[in-house]
């Protein structure tokens, strides 16, 4: 796990998710429907890298790029830690059923 992900603060991440992420991904990290990725219980370092890649353009998605562009490195680390702590909602069945 990256050093900044370890240093992230879940409470600050929750506050930022309330402002930026909840409309699509929900505060529970499950998403408002199946078209949005489930973030709950994902590894913090994965989420952090994905957000940085959206922000830099290395990962292509115009909607996520716009949201990620508003986030600082600290915001990204905090949001990543917050969603990684939501273990009770993590994906456990990859069959799609």
């Amino acid at each position: 796990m990256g050093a900044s992900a370890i240093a992230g603060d879940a409470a600050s991440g929750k506050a930022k998710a309330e402002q930026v992420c909840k409309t699509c991904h929900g505060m529970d990290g499950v998403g408002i429907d199946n078209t949005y990725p489930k973030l709950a219980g994902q590894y913090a370092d994965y989420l952090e890298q994905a957000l940085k890649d959206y922000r830099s353009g290395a990962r292509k998605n115009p909607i996520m790029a716009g949201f990620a562009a508003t986030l600082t490195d600290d915001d990204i680390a905090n949001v990543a830690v917050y969603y990684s702590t939501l273990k009770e909602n993590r994906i456990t069945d990859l069959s799609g059923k």
Side-chain angles (χ1 to χ4, degrees), residues 50-66:
L51 285 168
K52 286 181 176 179
D53 287 348
Y54 285 125
R55 186 177 64 186
S56 74
R59 196 166 178 172
K60 306 294 184 203
N61 181 295
I63 294 169
M64 282 301 302

Side-chain angles (χ1 to χ4, degrees), residues 54-89:
Y54 285 125
R55 186 177 64 186
S56 74
R59 196 166 178 172
K60 306 294 184 203
N61 181 295
I63 294 169
M64 282 301 302
F67 286 114
T70 70
L71 302 173
T72 66
D73 284 349
D74 285 343
D75 291 337
I76 288 173
N78 294 339
V79 166
V81 167
Y82 167 68
Y83 278 115
S84 75
T85 65
L86 304 178
K87 305 290 187 197
E88 66 277 3
N89 292 321

Side-chain angles (χ1 to χ4, degrees), residues 1-6 42-51 80-81 84:
M1 188 178 295
S4 60
I6 293 169
Q42 283 281 5
Y43 293 105
D45 57 344
Y46 168 79
L47 292 172
E48 182 175 6
Q49 189 61 54
L51 285 168
V81 167
S84 75

Side-chain angles (χ1 to χ4, degrees), residues 20-32 36-40 64 83:
V20 180
C21 311
K22 79 170 185 176
T23 302
C24 300
H25 297 288
M27 291 306 293
D28 60 1
V30 174
I32 60 171
Y36 297 97
K38 292 175 177 42
L39 305 181
M64 282 301 302
Y83 278 115

